[in-house]
Amino acid sequence: MNYLDLARNRHSVRKFKDLEIEEDKKNKIKEKVKSLNEKGGLNFQVFFDEPKCFKSKIFTYGSFKNANNYISLVGEKSSDLDEKIGYFGQDLLLFLEDLGLNTCWVGLTHGKSMAKIKKSEKEICLIAFAYGNENGNIHKSKDDHILSNINEFDNEKNRIILEFCKLAPTALNQQKFYIEFKEDGSYNLTRKMGPYSKVDFGIIKYHLDLAEKYWGEKNER
Ligand SMILES: Cc1cc2nc3c(=O)[nH]c(=O)nc-3n(C[C@H](O)[C@H](O)[C@H](O)COP(=O)(O)O)c2cc1C
């Protein structure tokens, strides 16, 4: 699937089928986690068939069903950890989507994970994943003029870039970012304040990289 279709087809799913993930997919996921940990100096930890973490029924928003697989997104404490987790976490999440699984970022509405976390480290979020009961729904988006300075005469590339940013999942769907397109073809992404907006910022930066790759490949053809 091309990057744009992958981003367009991804929606948060919280209700999953009571179905184990096949062994070959589990191995691919373990390999991907290992390679991202090496690349990013992170300590992501994957758990399969572990039903306890998402068992709690106390949450009215963000309650899960059959969420028996998750990745704990852990890294060394630092000022840029949240953003880094967002960037590498979204890489992993879209990898899971590409394997035909459904996913959801979870910052708050989960119980205690099984992750081993050193004193120098922090668990920022989890990603829940499995085969979904449904495919989720497209999220509402703020208007283009709230999220950017795009205008009706802008070129196709800028429109693609803005679409990739708008498709990114953000905590509480808050979309706390602004993208300024400049006359020389460059652009500048800024973050606004909000809960988990640093993680969101990393996620959006990953989507920006995908937008550039998508645009490059489209124009090679
Ligand atoms: C950093 C982050 C934290 C999130 N935390 C939760 C959570 O605790 N519980 C939950 O049900 N959804 C959580 N979400 C999922 C968002 O609610 C969801 O991504 C957003 O509403 C947009 O919908 P979409 O993912 O379907 O596009 C989180 C998303 C992000 C990016």
Side-chain angles (χ1 to χ4, degrees):
M1 208 185 293
N2 76 49
Y3 299 126
L4 186 55
D5 288 339
L6 194 59
R8 277 179 179 161
N9 289 334
R10 180 220 60 86
H11 313 295
S12 286
V13 170
R14 299 174 180 84
K15 308 275 179 260
F16 300 107
K17 291 184 180 138
D18 188 11
L19 205 63
E20 252 199 57
I21 293 170
E22 302 85 332
E23 218 44 52
D24 66 318
K25 285 193 183 174
K26 284 183 178 171
N27 287 333
K28 282 183 186 157
I29 295 165
K30 284 186 212 159
E31 271 172 38
K32 178 73 177 175
V33 166
K34 190 166 173 268
S35 97
L36 287 179
N37 280 342
E38 283 166 7
K39 205 165 151 191
L42 293 158
N43 189 13
F44 288 0
Q45 298 168 47
V46 58
F47 298 94
F48 297 105
D49 313 307
E50 195 289 276
K52 289 190 195 136
C53 181
F54 282 93
K55 230 183 171 124
S56 173
K57 297 264 182 288
I58 61 170
F59 304 108
T60 44
Y61 156 78
S63 71
F64 286 80
K65 189 178 164 208
N66 293 325
N68 299 337
N69 314 287
Y70 58 88
I71 293 154
S72 163
L73 304 178
V74 177
E76 285 286 320
K77 287 175 193 163
S78 70
S79 58
D80 67 346
L81 179 62
D82 292 66
E83 189 178 319
K84 204 166 154 189
I85 293 279
Y87 187 90
F88 286 93
Q90 188 64 4
D91 184 342
L92 186 51
L93 185 143
L94 289 177
F95 178 84
L96 298 169
E97 292 274 338
D98 207 26
L99 288 178
L101 296 160
N102 296 97
T103 60
C104 188
W105 275 91
V106 199
L108 282 176
T109 60
H110 61 81
K112 192 170 167 27
S113 82
M114 301 277 279
K116 291 197 175 74
I117 305 161
K118 293 187 209 125
K119 277 210 171 115
S120 59
E121 293 178 331
K122 196 171 171 193
E123 177 183 76
I124 303 289
C125 278
L126 306 182
I127 293 172
F129 64 98
Y131 289 104
N133 258 348
E134 31 96 27
N135 206 33
N137 299 308
I138 188 159
H139 62 236
K140 280 196 187 138
S141 224
K142 290 181 179 165
D143 289 343
D144 291 355
H145 71 274
I146 306 283
L147 296 174
S148 74
N149 65 338
I150 202 155
N151 65 59
E152 59 182 307
F153 308 110
D154 249 313
N155 61 34
E156 174 70 3
K157 185 179 180 193
N158 287 357
R159 270 193 288 276
I160 294 277
I161 284 172
L162 183 58
E163 180 173 0
F164 267 97
C165 290
K166 288 167 70 177
L167 288 169
T170 55
L172 300 163
N173 200 25
Q174 61 187 340
Q175 298 188 307
K176 292 278 189 185
F177 67 88
Y178 187 82
I179 182 156
E180 186 192 354
F181 295 102
K182 300 189 179 165
E183 288 211 347
D184 64 1
S186 66
Y187 47 84
N188 190 30
L189 179 73
T190 46
R191 176 177 76 84
K192 297 185 180 173
M193 301 294 274
Y196 289 98
S197 77
K198 287 183 183 170
V199 180
D200 293 346
F201 201 55
I203 295 173
I204 295 160
K205 280 191 174 173
Y206 187 75
H207 273 227
L208 274 180
D209 283 358
L210 282 190
E212 289 290 351
K213 277 193 209 162
Y214 173 81
W215 186 253
E217 285 177 12
K218 194 172 144 104
N219 289 296
E220 259 169 31
R221 268 178 253 137

